[in-house]
Amino acid sequence: MKDTPMTKPLLIGVGNDFASDDAAGRLVARRLRDSGNFNIAETHGAAADLVTLMEGQDHVIIVDACSSGAAPGTLHRIDGMTDNLPGWLRSVSSHGIGVAEGIQLAYVLGELPARIDILAIEGQNYANGESLTPEVAATIDQLVGELSDGV
């Protein structure tokens, strides 16, 4: 069953536009803004911002850059409803507290959606600047292509 405009998933692009690969989540969100398949939001990733964005949502997709030690451009697909979120989602990042803390806070406040999908793109370069690692840019292209058809 296709989502209606009222039940479209909320895709949240997380990141910092001025920290190279850390912009990956926001770039995915921007490229999908006109697809019609999602409600789109962007944030730097502060836990309180994530909770506010998740309020009243049934399905949230969070796209963010990560640093787990995998090869650059690796796409991690994580069920955000699991109690066993990877430790690297809990780490302090360039945008503050990790995504996992935002999900935990939403749970504590009773604002957790029924479904949360986390799409984390393995970054390599988080230095000041706007240049993406080629592998990250390729994964952004791949992910936008996959999501352009909906979830």
Side-chain angles (χ1 to χ4, degrees), residues 10-110:
L10 173 64
L11 187 139
I12 303 172
V14 177
N16 180 341
D17 285 326
F18 305 106
S20 301
D21 291 342
D22 195 41
R26 295 184 88 139
L27 294 172
V28 169
R30 289 176 191 154
R31 289 184 51 191
L32 290 169
R33 188 170 304 282
D34 296 327
S35 74
N37 296 322
F38 306 96
N39 294 314
I40 301 289
E42 294 184 42
T43 180
H44 284 92
D49 292 343
L50 287 171
V51 172
T52 300
L53 290 169
M54 287 191 275
E55 286 178 16
Q57 300 296 320
D58 292 323
H59 181 192
V60 172
I61 301 165
I62 299 171
V63 184
D64 194 8
C66 70
S67 186
S68 73
T74 298
L75 178 61
H76 305 273
R77 298 173 191 269
I78 303 158
D79 177 354
M81 302 305 288
T82 182
D83 289 333
N84 299 317
L85 292 174
W88 44 265
L89 277 179
R90 299 179 189 285
S91 63
V92 173
S93 66
S94 66
H95 45 72
I97 301 174
V99 167
E101 287 83 2
I103 292 170
Q104 289 172 334
L105 183 57
Y107 171 77
V108 169
L109 296 174

Side-chain angles (χ1 to χ4, degrees), residues 130-143:
E130 297 179 19
S131 299
L132 293 173
T133 303
E135 297 87 351
V136 171
T139 301
I140 289 170
D141 290 341
Q142 170 198 332
L143 185 56

